[in-house]
Amino acid sequence: MNIKILGPGCSNCVNLTKATTTAVAELGLDASIEKVEDYAAILGYGVMSTPALVINERVVVSGRVPTLAEVRTLLTAANH
């Protein structure tokens, strides 16, 4: 599974990274997590507000930090 956190490194981006890392560990997923801070790359995903969570090249959340439970649900759905 390929996961990307899109954002400039703000506190919300850090919180999303922590939630995602925790959810991946709890679910025991084989996943790579990449932080994307380049604005051109972020815009390439059509994201206008950060942070954003991309799972397997699909933007699943943008402009807010989802809860840990929501991240778990999104990862589980993408893993099937």
Side-chain angles (χ1 to χ4, degrees):
M1 180 178 295
N2 184 349
I3 301 168
K4 295 180 182 175
I5 309 293
L6 309 182
C10 61
S11 62
N12 283 337
C13 300
V14 171
N15 291 336
L16 178 56
T17 302
K18 286 180 186 175
T20 303
T21 304
T22 300
V24 166
E26 288 178 359
L27 295 169
L29 298 175
D30 179 20
S32 65
I33 300 174
E34 177 185 349
K35 294 172 82 178
V36 178
E37 297 182 355
D38 179 67
Y39 284 107
I42 292 169
L43 288 174
Y45 283 95
V47 171
M48 300 304 287
S49 59
T50 59
L53 177 62
V54 177
I55 302 174
N56 295 330
E57 296 304 312
R58 187 174 146 250
V59 178
V60 294
V61 175
S62 175
R64 65 182 179 86
V65 179
T67 64
L68 177 57
E70 188 178 354
V71 173
R72 264 193 238 110
T73 300
L74 293 166
L75 291 173
T76 300
N79 197 40
H80 288 103

Coordinates of all heavy atoms in Angstrom, one line a residue:
M1 N 0.9 -1.2 0.0 CA 0.0 0.0 0.0 C 0.9 1.2 0.0 O 1.9 1.3 0.7 CB -0.9 0.0 1.2 CG -1.8 1.2 1.3 SD -2.9 1.1 2.8 CE -3.9 -0.3 2.4
N2 N 0.5 2.2 -0.8 CA 1.3 3.4 -0.9 C 0.5 4.6 -0.3 O -0.6 4.8 -0.8 CB 1.6 3.7 -2.4 CG 2.5 4.9 -2.6 OD1 2.7 5.7 -1.7 ND2 2.9 5.1 -3.8
I3 N 1.0 5.2 0.7 CA 0.3 6.3 1.4 C 1.1 7.6 1.3 O 2.3 7.5 1.5 CB 0.1 5.9 2.9 CG1 -0.7 4.6 3.0 CG2 -0.6 7.1 3.6 CD1 -0.8 4.1 4.4
K4 N 0.4 8.7 1.0 CA 1.1 10.0 0.9 C 0.4 11.0 1.8 O -0.8 11.0 1.8 CB 1.2 10.5 -0.5 CG 2.1 9.6 -1.4 CD 2.1 10.1 -2.8 CE 3.0 9.2 -3.7 NZ 3.0 9.6 -5.1
I5 N 1.1 11.8 2.5 CA 0.6 12.9 3.3 C 1.0 14.1 2.5 O 2.2 14.4 2.4 CB 1.2 12.9 4.7 CG1 1.1 11.6 5.4 CG2 0.6 14.1 5.5 CD1 -0.3 11.1 5.7
L6 N 0.0 14.9 2.0 CA 0.3 16.1 1.3 C 0.2 17.3 2.2 O -0.9 17.5 2.9 CB -0.7 16.2 0.1 CG -0.9 15.0 -0.8 CD1 -1.8 15.4 -1.9 CD2 0.4 14.5 -1.4
G7 N 1.2 18.1 2.2 CA 1.1 19.4 3.0 C 2.5 19.9 3.3 O 3.5 19.2 3.1
P8 N 2.5 21.2 3.7 CA 3.8 21.9 3.8 C 4.6 21.6 5.1 O 5.6 22.1 5.3 CB 3.4 23.4 3.8 CG 2.0 23.4 4.4 CD 1.4 22.1 3.9
G9 N 4.0 20.7 6.0 CA 4.7 20.4 7.2 C 4.1 21.2 8.4 O 4.8 21.2 9.5
C10 N 2.9 21.7 8.2 CA 2.3 22.4 9.3 C 1.9 21.4 10.4 O 2.0 20.2 10.3 CB 1.0 23.1 8.8 SG -0.2 22.0 8.1
S11 N 1.3 21.9 11.5 CA 1.0 21.1 12.7 C -0.1 20.1 12.3 O -0.1 18.9 12.7 CB 0.5 21.9 13.9 OG -0.6 22.7 13.5
N12 N -1.1 20.5 11.4 CA -2.1 19.6 11.0 C -1.5 18.4 10.2 O -1.9 17.3 10.2 CB -3.2 20.3 10.2 CG -4.1 21.1 11.0 OD1 -4.3 20.8 12.2 ND2 -4.8 22.1 10.5
C13 N -0.5 18.8 9.4 CA 0.2 17.7 8.6 C 0.9 16.7 9.5 O 0.9 15.5 9.3 CB 1.2 18.4 7.6 SG 0.4 19.5 6.5
V14 N 1.5 17.3 10.5 CA 2.2 16.4 11.5 C 1.2 15.5 12.2 O 1.5 14.3 12.4 CB 3.0 17.3 12.5 CG1 3.5 16.4 13.7 CG2 4.1 18.0 11.8
N15 N 0.1 16.1 12.6 CA -1.0 15.3 13.3 C -1.5 14.2 12.3 O -1.8 13.0 12.8 CB -2.1 16.2 13.7 CG -1.7 17.1 14.9 OD1 -0.8 16.7 15.6 ND2 -2.4 18.2 15.1
L16 N -1.7 14.5 11.1 CA -2.2 13.5 10.1 C -1.1 12.4 9.9 O -1.5 11.2 9.9 CB -2.5 14.1 8.8 CG -3.0 13.2 7.6 CD1 -4.2 12.4 8.1 CD2 -3.3 14.0 6.4
T17 N 0.1 12.8 9.9 CA 1.2 11.8 9.8 C 1.2 10.8 11.0 O 1.3 9.6 10.8 CB 2.6 12.5 9.6 OG1 2.5 13.3 8.5 CG2 3.7 11.4 9.5
K18 N 1.1 11.4 12.2 CA 1.0 10.6 13.4 C -0.1 9.6 13.4 O 0.0 8.4 13.7 CB 1.0 11.5 14.6 CG 2.2 12.2 15.0 CD 2.1 13.0 16.2 CE 3.3 13.9 16.5 NZ 3.1 14.8 17.6
A19 N -1.3 10.1 13.0 CA -2.5 9.3 13.0 C -2.4 8.2 12.0 O -2.7 7.0 12.2 CB -3.8 10.1 12.7
T20 N -1.8 8.5 10.8 CA -1.6 7.5 9.8 C -0.6 6.4 10.2 O -0.9 5.2 10.0 CB -1.2 8.2 8.4 OG1 -2.2 9.2 8.1 CG2 -1.1 7.2 7.3
T21 N 0.5 6.9 10.7 CA 1.5 5.9 11.2 C 1.0 5.0 12.2 O 1.2 3.8 12.2 CB 2.8 6.7 11.7 OG1 3.2 7.6 10.7 CG2 3.9 5.8 12.1
T22 N 0.2 5.6 13.2 CA -0.4 4.7 14.2 C -1.3 3.7 13.7 O -1.3 2.6 14.0 CB -1.1 5.7 15.3 OG1 -0.1 6.6 15.8 CG2 -1.7 4.9 16.4
A23 N -2.2 4.2 12.8 CA -3.2 3.3 12.2 C -2.6 2.2 11.4 O -3.0 1.0 11.5 CB -4.2 4.1 11.3
V24 N -1.5 2.5 10.6 CA -0.8 1.4 9.8 C -0.2 0.4 10.8 O -0.3 -0.8 10.6 CB 0.3 2.1 9.0 CG1 1.3 1.0 8.4 CG2 -0.3 2.9 7.8
A25 N 0.4 0.9 11.9 CA 1.0 -0.1 12.9 C -0.1 -0.9 13.5 O 0.1 -2.1 13.7 CB 1.8 0.7 13.9
E26 N -1.2 -0.3 13.9 CA -2.2 -1.0 14.6 C -2.9 -2.1 13.7 O -3.2 -3.2 14.2 CB -3.3 -0.1 15.1 CG -3.0 0.8 16.3 CD -4.0 1.7 16.7 OE1 -5.1 1.8 16.0 OE2 -3.8 2.5 17.6
L27 N -3.0 -1.8 12.4 CA -3.6 -2.7 11.5 C -2.6 -3.7 10.9 O -3.0 -4.7 10.2 CB -4.2 -1.9 10.3 CG -5.4 -1.0 10.7 CD1 -5.8 -0.1 9.5 CD2 -6.6 -1.9 11.1
G28 N -1.3 -3.5 11.2 CA -0.3 -4.4 10.7 C -0.1 -4.4 9.2 O 0.1 -5.4 8.6
L29 N -0.3 -3.3 8.6 CA -0.3 -3.2 7.1 C 1.1 -3.1 6.6 O 2.0 -2.5 7.3 CB -1.1 -2.0 6.6 CG -2.6 -1.9 7.0 CD1 -3.2 -0.6 6.6 CD2 -3.3 -3.1 6.3
D30 N 1.3 -3.6 5.4 CA 2.6 -3.4 4.7 C 2.4 -2.2 3.8 O 1.8 -2.2 2.8 CB 2.9 -4.6 3.8 CG 4.2 -4.5 3.1 OD1 5.0 -3.6 3.4 OD2 4.3 -5.2 2.0
A31 N 2.9 -1.0 4.3 CA 2.6 0.2 3.7 C 3.8 1.1 3.7 O 4.6 1.1 4.7 CB 1.4 0.9 4.3
S32 N 4.0 1.9 2.7 CA 5.0 3.0 2.7 C 4.3 4.3 2.9 O 3.2 4.5 2.3 CB 5.8 3.0 1.4 OG 5.0 3.3 0.3
I33 N 4.9 5.1 3.7 CA 4.3 6.5 4.0 C 5.3 7.5 3.5 O 6.4 7.5 4.0 CB 4.0 6.7 5.5 CG1 3.0 5.6 6.0 CG2 3.4 8.1 5.7 CD1 2.7 5.6 7.4
E34 N 4.8 8.4 2.6 CA 5.7 9.4 2.0 C 5.0 10.8 2.3 O 3.8 11.0 2.2 CB 5.7 9.2 0.5 CG 6.5 10.2 -0.2 CD 6.5 10.1 -1.7 OE1 6.1 9.0 -2.2 OE2 6.9 11.0 -2.4
K35 N 5.9 11.7 2.7 CA 5.4 13.1 3.0 C 5.7 13.9 1.7 O 6.9 13.9 1.2 CB 6.1 13.7 4.2 CG 5.7 13.0 5.5 CD 6.5 13.5 6.6 CE 6.0 14.8 7.1 NZ 6.7 15.3 8.3
V36 N 4.7 14.5 1.2 CA 4.9 15.4 -0.1 C 4.7 16.8 0.3 O 3.6 17.2 0.7 CB 3.9 14.9 -1.1 CG1 4.0 15.8 -2.4 CG2 4.1 13.5 -1.5
E37 N 5.7 17.6 0.2 CA 5.7 19.0 0.6 C 5.8 20.0 -0.5 O 5.6 21.2 -0.4 CB 6.8 19.3 1.7 CG 6.5 18.5 3.0 CD 7.6 18.8 4.0 OE1 8.5 19.5 3.8 OE2 7.4 18.3 5.1
D38 N 6.1 19.5 -1.7 CA 6.2 20.3 -2.9 C 4.8 20.7 -3.4 O 4.0 19.9 -3.7 CB 6.9 19.5 -4.0 CG 7.1 20.3 -5.3 OD1 7.8 21.3 -5.3 OD2 6.4 19.9 -6.3
Y39 N 4.6 22.0 -3.5 CA 3.3 22.6 -3.9 C 2.8 22.1 -5.2 O 1.7 21.9 -5.4 CB 3.3 24.1 -3.7 CG 3.2 24.6 -2.3 CD1 4.3 25.1 -1.7 CD2 2.0 24.5 -1.6 CE1 4.3 25.6 -0.4 CE2 2.0 24.9 -0.3 CZ 3.1 25.4 0.3 OH 3.0 25.8 1.7
A40 N 3.8 22.1 -6.2 CA 3.4 21.6 -7.5 C 2.9 20.2 -7.5 O 1.9 19.9 -8.2 CB 4.6 21.8 -8.5
A41 N 3.5 19.3 -6.7 CA 3.1 17.9 -6.6 C 1.8 17.9 -5.9 O 0.9 17.1 -6.3 CB 4.2 17.1 -5.9
I42 N 1.6 18.7 -4.9 CA 0.3 18.7 -4.2 C -0.8 19.1 -5.1 O -1.9 18.5 -5.2 CB 0.3 19.6 -2.9 CG1 1.3 19.0 -1.9 CG2 -1.0 19.8 -2.3 CD1 1.7 19.9 -0.8
L43 N -0.6 20.2 -5.9 CA -1.6 20.6 -6.9 C -1.9 19.6 -7.9 O -3.0 19.5 -8.5 CB -1.2 22.0 -7.5 CG -1.2 23.2 -6.6 CD1 -0.6 24.4 -7.3 CD2 -2.6 23.5 -6.1
G44 N -0.9 18.8 -8.2 CA -1.0 17.7 -9.2 C -2.1 16.7 -8.8 O -2.7 16.0 -9.7
Y45 N -2.4 16.6 -7.5 CA -3.4 15.7 -7.0 C -4.8 16.5 -7.0 O -5.8 15.9 -6.6 CB -3.1 15.2 -5.6 CG -2.1 14.1 -5.6 CD1 -0.7 14.4 -5.4 CD2 -2.4 12.8 -5.8 CE1 0.2 13.4 -5.4 CE2 -1.5 11.8 -5.8 CZ -0.2 12.1 -5.6 OH 0.8 11.1 -5.6
G46 N -4.8 17.7 -7.4 CA -6.0 18.5 -7.3 C -6.4 19.0 -5.9 O -7.5 19.4 -5.7
V47 N -5.4 18.9 -5.0 CA -5.7 19.3 -3.6 C -5.5 20.8 -3.5 O -4.4 21.4 -3.8 CB -4.7 18.6 -2.7 CG1 -4.8 19.1 -1.3 CG2 -5.1 17.1 -2.7
M48 N -6.5 21.5 -3.0 CA -6.4 23.0 -2.8 C -6.2 23.4 -1.4 O -5.8 24.5 -1.1 CB -7.7 23.7 -3.4 CG -7.9 23.4 -4.8 SD -6.5 23.9 -5.9 CE -6.7 25.6 -5.8
S49 N -6.5 22.5 -0.4 CA -6.3 22.7 1.0 C -5.7 21.5 1.6 O -6.1 20.4 1.4 CB -7.6 23.2 1.7 OG -8.6 22.2 1.6
T50 N -4.7 21.8 2.4 CA -4.0 20.7 3.1 C -4.3 20.7 4.6 O -4.9 21.6 5.1 CB -2.4 20.9 2.9 OG1 -2.1 22.1 3.5 CG2 -2.0 20.8 1.5
P51 N -4.0 19.6 5.3 CA -3.4 18.4 4.8 C -4.3 17.5 4.0 O -5.5 17.7 4.0 CB -2.9 17.7 6.1 CG -4.0 18.0 7.0 CD -4.4 19.5 6.7
A52 N -3.7 16.6 3.2 CA -4.5 15.6 2.5 C -3.9 14.3 2.6 O -2.6 14.1 2.8 CB -4.5 16.0 1.0
L53 N -4.7 13.3 2.6 CA -4.3 11.9 2.7 C -4.5 11.2 1.4 O -5.7 11.2 0.8 CB -5.0 11.2 3.8 CG -4.7 9.7 4.0 CD1 -3.3 9.4 4.4 CD2 -5.7 9.1 5.1
V54 N -3.5 10.6 0.8 CA -3.6 9.9 -0.5 C -3.3 8.4 -0.2 O -2.2 8.1 0.3 CB -2.6 10.5 -1.5 CG1 -2.7 9.7 -2.8 CG2 -2.9 11.9 -1.8
I55 N -4.2 7.5 -0.6 CA -4.0 6.1 -0.5 C -4.0 5.5 -1.9 O -5.0 5.6 -2.6 CB -5.0 5.4 0.4 CG1 -5.0 6.1 1.8 CG2 -4.7 3.9 0.6 CD1 -6.1 5.6 2.7
N56 N -2.9 4.8 -2.2 CA -2.8 4.2 -3.6 C -3.2 5.2 -4.7 O -4.0 4.8 -5.6 CB -3.6 2.9 -3.6 CG -3.1 1.9 -2.7 OD1 -1.9 1.8 -2.4 ND2 -4.0 1.0 -2.2
E57 N -2.6 6.4 -4.6 CA -2.8 7.4 -5.6 C -4.2 8.0 -5.7 O -4.6 8.7 -6.6 CB -2.3 7.0 -7.0 CG -0.8 6.7 -7.1 CD 0.1 7.8 -6.6 OE1 -0.2 9.0 -7.1 OE2 1.0 7.6 -5.8
R58 N -5.0 7.8 -4.7 CA -6.4 8.3 -4.6 C -6.5 9.2 -3.4 O -6.2 8.8 -2.3 CB -7.4 7.2 -4.5 CG -8.8 7.7 -4.6 CD -9.8 6.5 -4.7 NE -11.0 6.9 -4.1 CZ -11.4 6.4 -2.9 NH1 -10.8 5.5 -2.3 NH2 -12.5 6.8 -2.3
V59 N -6.9 10.5 -3.6 CA -7.1 11.4 -2.5 C -8.4 11.0 -1.7 O -9.4 10.9 -2.3 CB -7.2 12.9 -3.0 CG1 -7.5 13.8 -1.8 CG2 -6.0 13.3 -3.7
V60 N -8.2 10.7 -0.4 CA -9.3 10.2 0.4 C -9.8 11.3 1.4 O -11.0 11.2 1.8 CB -9.1 8.9 1.1 CG1 -8.9 7.8 0.0 CG2 -7.8 8.9 1.9
V61 N -8.9 12.2 1.8 CA -9.3 13.2 2.7 C -8.4 14.5 2.3 O -7.3 14.4 2.0 CB -8.9 12.9 4.2 CG1 -9.2 14.0 5.1 CG2 -9.7 11.7 4.6
S62 N -9.1 15.6 2.4 CA -8.4 16.9 2.0 C -8.9 18.0 2.9 O -10.1 18.1 3.1 CB -8.5 17.2 0.6 OG -8.0 18.4 0.3
G63 N -8.0 18.9 3.4 CA -8.4 20.1 4.1 C -8.7 19.9 5.6 O -9.2 20.8 6.2
R64 N -8.5 18.7 6.1 CA -8.8 18.5 7.5 C -8.0 17.3 8.0 O -7.5 16.5 7.2 CB -10.3 18.2 7.8 CG -10.8 17.0 7.1 CD -12.3 16.8 7.4 NE -12.8 15.6 6.7 CZ -12.8 14.4 7.3 NH1 -12.3 14.2 8.5 NH2 -13.2 13.3 6.6
V65 N -7.9 17.1 9.3 CA -7.2 16.0 9.9 C -8.3 15.0 10.4 O -9.1 15.3 11.3 CB -6.4 16.4 11.1 CG1 -5.7 15.2 11.8 CG2 -5.3 17.4 10.7
P66 N -8.4 13.8 9.7 CA -9.3 12.8 10.1 C -9.0 12.2 11.5 O -7.8 12.3 11.9 CB -9.3 11.8 9.0 CG -7.9 11.9 8.5 CD -7.5 13.4 8.6
T67 N -9.9 11.6 12.2 CA -9.6 11.0 13.4 C -8.9 9.7 13.2 O -8.9 9.2 12.0 CB -10.9 10.6 14.2 OG1 -11.6 9.6 13.4 CG2 -11.8 11.8 14.4
L68 N -8.3 9.2 14.2 CA -7.5 7.9 14.1 C -8.5 6.8 13.6 O -8.1 6.0 12.7 CB -6.9 7.5 15.4 CG -6.1 6.2 15.5 CD1 -5.0 6.1 14.4 CD2 -5.6 6.0 16.9
A69 N -9.7 6.8 14.1 CA -10.7 5.8 13.7 C -11.0 5.9 12.3 O -11.1 4.9 11.5 CB -11.9 5.9 14.6
E70 N -11.1 7.1 11.8 CA -11.4 7.3 10.4 C -10.3 6.9 9.5 O -10.5 6.3 8.4 CB -11.8 8.8 10.1 CG -12.3 9.1 8.7 CD -12.6 10.6 8.5 OE1 -12.6 11.4 9.4 OE2 -13.0 10.9 7.3
V71 N -9.1 7.2 9.9 CA -7.9 6.8 9.1 C -7.9 5.2 9.1 O -7.6 4.6 8.0 CB -6.6 7.3 9.7 CG1 -5.4 6.7 9.0 CG2 -6.5 8.8 9.6
R72 N -8.1 4.6 10.2 CA -8.2 3.1 10.2 C -9.2 2.6 9.2 O -8.9 1.6 8.5 CB -8.5 2.6 11.6 CG -7.4 2.2 12.5 CD -7.8 1.5 13.7 NE -7.4 2.2 14.9 CZ -8.2 2.8 15.7 NH1 -9.5 2.8 15.6 NH2 -7.7 3.4 16.8
T73 N -10.4 3.2 9.2 CA -11.4 2.8 8.3 C -11.0 3.0 6.8 O -11.2 2.1 6.0 CB -12.7 3.6 8.6 OG1 -13.1 3.3 9.9 CG2 -13.9 3.2 7.7
L74 N -10.4 4.1 6.5 CA -10.0 4.4 5.2 C -8.9 3.4 4.7 O -8.9 2.9 3.6 CB -9.5 5.8 5.0 CG -10.5 6.9 5.2 CD1 -9.8 8.3 5.4 CD2 -11.4 7.0 4.0
L75 N -8.0 3.1 5.6 CA -6.9 2.2 5.3 C -7.4 0.7 5.1 O -7.0 0.0 4.2 CB -5.8 2.2 6.3 CG -5.0 3.5 6.4 CD1 -4.1 3.4 7.6 CD2 -4.2 3.7 5.2
T76 N -8.3 0.3 5.9 CA -8.9 -1.0 5.8 C -9.7 -1.1 4.5 O -9.6 -2.1 3.8 CB -9.9 -1.3 7.0 OG1 -9.1 -1.2 8.2 CG2 -10.5 -2.6 6.9
A77 N -10.5 -0.1 4.2 CA -11.2 -0.2 2.9 C -10.3 -0.2 1.7 O -10.6 -0.9 0.7 CB -12.1 1.1 2.8
A78 N -9.2 0.5 1.7 CA -8.3 0.5 0.6 C -7.4 -0.8 0.5 O -6.9 -1.1 -0.5 CB -7.3 1.7 0.8
N79 N -7.4 -1.5 1.6 CA -6.6 -2.7 1.6 C -7.3 -3.9 1.1 O -6.8 -5.0 1.0 CB -6.1 -3.0 3.1 CG -4.9 -4.0 3.1 OD1 -4.1 -3.9 2.2 ND2 -4.9 -4.8 4.1
H80 N -8.6 -3.8 0.8 CA -9.4 -4.9 0.3 C -9.7 -4.8 -1.2 O -9.7 -3.8 -1.8 CB -10.7 -5.0 1.1 CG -10.5 -5.4 2.5 ND1 -10.6 -4.6 3.5 CD2 -10.3 -6.7 3.0 CE1 -10.3 -5.3 4.6 NE2 -10.1 -6.5 4.3

